Amino acid sequence: MTTHYNIKMRKMTAPLIDKYRKLASFDWRTFKNTIEGEEHVILKQKIVDKMKAEPVFQRDFRVLSLEESREISHKRWKKICEWNLFKDPYSDVDQFHALVEVLEGYDQGNAARLFLHANVFGAAVKSQGTERHAEIIKKIDNNEVVGAFCLTEISHGSNTAEVQTTVTYDNGELIFNSPNIGAIKCWAGNLSHSATHVVVFAQLHVAGKNEGFHGFVVQVRDPITFQTLPGITIGDMGSKPGAWQGVENGWLKFDNHRAPLIALLNKGCDITKDGKYVTSFKSASEKQSVSLGTLSVGRLGIIGKGVTASMMASTIALRYSVARRQFGPIKGVENEIPVFEYPLQQFRLFPYLTASICMRIFQKKFFEHFTGYMMRVIQGEKSDELAKFSREIHALSSGAKPVATWLGNESLAEARKACGGHGFLHLSRLNTLRDDNDPSMTFEGENFMILQQTSNILLAKSKSSAKILTPMRTMEFFNHQPIKFQGWTNDTISDVLQAYRFLLHHLIQKTNSDAEILKKSGKNAFEVRNETQVHRALNLSIIYSENTIIEWTKEFLENEVEDRNVKEVLRKVLTLYSLFVLERHLATLYISEYTTGGQFGDQLREKLRSSIFSLKNEAIALVDSIAPDDFILHSVLGASDGRVYERIFAEFQKNTKQPEWICDLAQFLHKNSQSSKL
């Protein structure tokens, strides 16, 4: 039974959003082109236009079943492949990054399908393989195969070096085994149904000796029948929230599966015809260092998820804040003001808007560094400088990934609350986005765990008496003496960076001194590392990452921004972001005796409030500069035209059909009414 409503609605007042746009001191298009690059913006729009033209990319707010999610993900991936936009992520860098960025905003499940095959599975083969893997690399680039990346096991995630899957060399072949339940591979995207090949990391045994952690590329299914090969069992991990319902996270068990020797990814190591293991790496740590750098690609991608999350949250919440009117200085609905005008709403939302911009600038530069690094690895370079590059990439990605994903999820949670009741509906997309982004805090390393890897590298560097030079220059703070607070200047960003440098030195000194005390008490190295995390090493990793984000954004502002108006508003953006993240360390600043008395804290917070106020007239234009096309945003509350309530009611009107169980309710009520008359 369907009920039709014919409601005459009074015409809504014209949206205020255009009035707020006109308050800006800069052109949002110029700002967007400056931050992203004009060619990148054009590439993204071409991809969006392609998607709009294809029925398979049309969607509504209906929640899909697991089967529906997997099917539509496959169809969309197939259409993207047919477009033939790129061959190799490292030769078609701009096109690939534009495509992934669009898909991340559209549906992370679709982005994962593409990224896991081309840039995770593919990167592993290209960076760790040799010329004998040329055929499989060609098939990867031509989408003749589907790849998955099998590192994590049921009982091993963060401690990758101790994975239990074994590969034993036997008379020219490799025998793969999962010796126990804990060794079964899991969380491998694309694996459940689609993968024909996988990259597997396992312990390599040759002539009775464990040669340690190695990578292998293995065919797991017949590409015609899609039946698994002998000695291989594959299944699905089950239902998951959000866009990840469409991602085939699978598990894989080996039982004496035999593969040819070519499966070994043999850059820097191999097995000779007479069965001897040989390697050109000087040490196990050198080999691990190269592996760590190449495996960072996943974490770099997840930093982008934090950027996208804060961007989507800011766009939806701030545009809705302009449309939503509540209360006013004079009674009467006509006197209600937009919640955007409330300082508390600005305090809740503006910092995440600035974070999305600063983290995006940081991520773009990090990807440029990483792409250059990967090209050198793929070309077979081996040098001490490249090994240093690898460790620095590992340190920064392990720190920035938690910082970005925590901030992204935090921004979505705050945006959802700031949008009131309507923010809870699927049509806002905020709750769905929270589900989509939640696993980013555990994918490619649980956040708290991988932060320890950052601090381990920094603490090791602190033992050096020589000047510390690193390829990305993120550790130059080691070469400067920290200075205590001497008063605020006219350059707030530099003031913040001075405070960050002091914090870095303080936390290194504090962690090292506490470690020495623990060592003298009889604690072993493992215990010492664990017992110096809280308030010390953990904070060191976070502060190192935030410091780099601020420094790189400042360098971009000073060296790459030409438009005077854009430069001025970006300075306001960076100032607010810098004060926002520094305030979180206010207690440590006082504990470290960077300053004394309450004046510094009061002034910091006053500057924070002032920075928020300075962005009020710029905020909606800044949103326009970061917001994706409405088709990608897919939020009734965040649409660019500001006509929120008409859109909300249009969605309401789609839901007027009575469910089948209403007949049962009617019979139940009728039965009760008859009984009451007896």
Side-chain angles (χ1 to χ4, degrees):
M1 180 171 65
T2 302
T3 304
H4 296 279
Y5 295 97
N6 184 17
I7 300 177
K8 290 185 178 180
M9 298 181 62
R10 67 180 178 84
K11 183 176 177 61
M12 297 289 292
T13 56
L16 280 171
I17 197 163
D18 288 335
K19 292 183 179 179
Y20 280 96
R21 285 178 170 128
K22 292 174 183 176
L23 296 174
S25 64
F26 68 101
D27 179 74
W28 69 268
R29 295 173 185 82
T30 305
F31 189 95
K32 186 179 187 70
N33 289 338
T34 301
I35 301 301
E36 298 185 28
E38 189 171 359
E39 286 299 317
H40 184 77
V41 173
I42 292 170
L43 283 173
K44 287 200 304 178
Q45 191 56 53
K46 287 180 178 178
I47 293 165
V48 172
D49 291 343
K50 281 179 173 289
M51 293 171 71
K52 286 180 178 179
E54 295 289 348
V56 74
F57 288 102
Q58 305 305 313
R59 55 186 171 165
D60 52 29
F61 294 102
R62 185 170 61 92
V63 179
L64 303 180
S65 68
L66 186 147
E67 185 65 31
E68 289 173 318
S69 297
R70 300 286 171 83
E71 183 178 1
I72 195 66
S73 180
H74 160 71
K75 288 180 177 178
R76 288 168 178 166
W77 171 80
K78 179 183 173 185
K79 180 57 65 177
I80 292 166
C81 291
E82 289 172 352
W83 290 340
N84 199 29
L85 294 175
F86 73 96
K87 286 286 185 182
D88 174 13
Y90 296 102
S91 60
D92 302 325
V93 177
D94 294 339
Q95 188 77 59
F96 183 75
H97 284 177
L99 177 59
V100 169
E101 188 177 330
V102 169
L103 292 177
E104 280 286 337
Y106 175 79
D107 184 329
Q108 287 192 40
N110 293 148
R113 171 90 184 218
L114 179 80
F115 192 84
L116 289 169
H117 165 77
N119 216 33
V120 179
F121 167 78
V125 177
K126 292 171 184 177
S127 63
Q128 298 185 37
T130 61
E131 63 279 352
R132 76 183 189 195
H133 298 100
E135 184 178 350
I136 185 65
I137 289 172
K138 180 180 178 182
K139 290 181 177 180
I140 292 168
D141 289 344
N142 290 336
N143 294 305
E144 297 176 47
V145 299
V146 175
F149 187 81
C150 298
L151 174 60
T152 303
E153 297 174 351
I154 289 178
S155 67
H156 277 82
S158 299
N159 190 9
T160 56
E162 299 297 333
V163 295
Q164 298 180 74
T165 301
T166 63
V167 177
T168 305
Y169 177 77
D170 179 48
N171 195 28
E173 288 188 310
L174 299 171
I175 305 175
F176 289 73
N177 272 296
S178 305
N180 55 61
I181 290 174
I184 292 171
K185 296 294 184 182
C186 60
W187 283 115
N190 294 346
L191 178 62
S192 304
H193 316 298
S194 300
T196 60
H197 291 70
V198 300
V199 163
V200 175
F201 288 90
Q203 305 294 339
L204 174 61
H205 295 259
V206 182
K209 181 183 176 184
N210 184 1
E211 299 292 351
F213 184 75
H214 286 71
F216 307 83
V217 58
V218 183
Q219 182 174 344
V220 293
R221 285 187 173 99
D222 183 302
I224 304 299
T225 66
F226 267 77
Q227 295 298 307
T228 55
L229 300 185
I232 293 175
T233 306
I234 295 175
D236 187 66
M237 292 181 67
S239 183
K240 303 180 294 295
W244 299 99
Q245 187 80 304
V247 179
E248 304 169 28
N249 289 114
W251 57 267
L252 182 154
K253 182 178 182 295
F254 289 113
D255 184 11
N256 290 317
H257 171 70
R258 287 184 171 268
L261 182 58
I262 193 176
L264 174 64
L265 294 171
N266 64 321
K267 182 167 287 181
C269 62
D270 212 339
I271 300 172
T272 63
K273 291 181 180 179
D274 56 352
K276 292 182 180 179
Y277 178 80
V278 293
T279 179
S280 59
F281 291 110
K282 298 174 184 176
S283 64
S285 61
E286 182 186 354
K287 181 183 185 303
Q288 184 183 21
S289 178
V290 173
S291 296
L292 289 174
T294 57
L295 293 177
S296 295
V297 63
R299 283 193 293 276
L300 264 71
I302 294 173
I303 291 169
K305 292 184 184 296
V307 175
T308 300
S310 54
M311 175 263 288
M312 302 287 261
S314 301
T315 298
I316 295 167
L318 285 169
R319 282 178 174 171
Y320 180 53
S321 294
V322 170
R324 184 187 182 205
R325 298 171 184 243
Q326 297 290 309
F327 306 105
I330 304 172
K331 287 188 176 181
V333 68
E334 69 279 4
N335 297 315
E336 290 182 323
I337 65 171
V339 296
F340 180 89
E341 291 291 334
Y342 290 100
L344 194 56
Q345 190 81 343
Q346 297 165 17
F347 178 80
R348 296 171 73 183
L349 298 175
F350 283 14
Y352 300 113
L353 171 62
T354 64
S356 70
I357 295 168
C358 295
M359 288 195 303
R360 183 194 175 84
I361 292 169
F362 162 80
Q363 185 210 16
K364 181 182 178 184
K365 182 167 182 175
F366 200 177
F367 258 116
E368 289 170 356
H369 279 301
F370 183 77
T371 300
Y373 163 80
M374 281 296 294
M375 292 306 297
R376 291 166 66 181
V377 172
I378 291 169
Q379 290 165 8
E381 179 183 334
K382 288 181 184 175
S383 64
D384 290 341
E385 194 268 347
L386 194 63
K388 288 181 181 178
F389 208 165
S390 178
R391 286 184 67 76
E392 188 178 15
I393 285 172
H394 183 59
L396 186 56
S397 65
S398 295
K401 181 258 188 184
V403 166
T405 55
W406 276 330
L407 205 57
N409 280 271
E410 186 182 309
S411 67
L412 287 166
E414 197 61 42
R416 158 34 206 128
K417 291 179 286 186
C419 287
H422 291 331
F424 186 68
L425 294 169
H426 270 296
L427 58 77
S428 82
R429 203 186 171 197
L430 287 169
N431 275 321
T432 306
L433 286 168
R434 285 170 65 191
D435 282 343
D436 295 349
N437 283 278
D438 187 83
S440 67
M441 296 181 288
T442 52
F443 282 173
E444 297 293 333
E446 192 276 327
N447 280 357
F448 282 97
M449 188 63 67
I450 62 173
L451 281 168
Q452 296 183 39
Q453 300 183 41
T454 302
S455 60
N456 289 345
I457 293 172
L458 292 173
L459 292 168
K461 285 282 185 185
S462 72
K463 303 294 195 296
S464 173
S465 58
K467 186 175 182 180
I468 294 174
L469 301 172
T470 59
M472 295 190 295
R473 298 171 50 218
T474 65
M475 300 181 191
E476 289 197 346
F477 64 87
F478 278 113
N479 305 318
H480 302 282
Q481 274 296 114
I483 303 172
K484 288 189 176 183
F485 180 65
Q486 297 177 329
W488 294 95
T489 69
N490 292 328
D491 188 350
T492 301
I493 299 166
S494 294
D495 294 340
V496 169
L497 285 171
Q498 177 182 304
Y500 264 95
R501 282 192 288 272
F502 188 92
L503 286 172
L504 286 164
H505 281 273
H506 164 74
L507 288 168
I508 287 170
Q509 184 275 327
K510 181 65 174 171
T511 308
N512 280 332
S513 63
D514 285 1
E516 286 302 315
I517 293 170
L518 290 167
K519 286 177 187 176
K520 289 177 181 178
S521 72
K523 301 283 187 180
N524 61 41
F526 179 75
E527 292 170 322
V528 169
R529 186 166 61 250
N530 280 324
E531 293 181 29
T532 54
Q533 290 301 317
V534 180
H535 296 147
R536 291 154 293 178
L538 187 78
N539 290 15
L540 169 63
S541 300
I542 293 168
I543 288 168
Y544 161 72
S545 303
E546 290 174 349
N547 179 69
T548 306
I549 293 170
I550 296 169
E551 283 191 331
W552 284 8
T553 306
K554 184 173 184 284
E555 289 175 8
F556 178 85
L557 167 66
E558 293 174 348
N559 301 326
E560 300 185 44
V561 181
E562 297 178 356
D563 185 277
R564 186 175 63 182
N565 293 335
V566 169
K567 187 183 284 282
E568 183 57 34
V569 77
L570 183 55
R571 190 179 304 280
K572 291 180 182 179
V573 165
L574 179 56
T575 299
L576 174 49
Y577 171 74
S578 302
L579 292 166
F580 170 61
V581 290
L582 182 65
E583 193 209 13
R584 298 180 172 209
H585 307 297
L586 199 52
T588 310
L589 285 164
Y590 277 108
I591 291 167
S592 67
E593 298 183 346
Y594 176 69
T595 186
T596 57
Q599 188 177 21
F600 172 81
D602 276 342
Q603 289 174 341
L604 191 156
R605 288 179 170 176
E606 183 182 344
K607 286 179 175 293
L608 178 59
R609 294 192 299 272
S610 177
S611 292
I612 290 169
F613 179 76
S614 75
L615 276 181
K616 179 189 169 187
N617 289 349
E618 320 285 11
I620 295 303
L622 283 171
V623 165
D624 289 341
S625 73
I626 65 168
D629 189 280
D630 282 352
F631 176 79
I632 300 297
L633 186 67
H634 192 52
S635 169
V636 167
L637 303 190
S640 58
D641 63 7
R643 297 189 176 276
V644 171
Y645 297 112
E646 292 97 324
R647 289 176 176 272
I648 288 176
F649 187 65
E651 289 298 323
F652 284 0
Q653 288 180 298
K654 296 176 183 178
N655 302 301
T656 57
K657 184 179 180 181
Q658 294 281 33
E660 293 181 3
W661 54 263
I662 285 298
C663 295
D664 184 65
L665 173 60
Q667 292 170 9
F668 177 73
L669 296 177
H670 179 70
K671 179 181 177 182
N672 288 346
S673 68
Q674 294 299 312
S675 298
S676 67
K677 295 175 183 177
L678 297 178

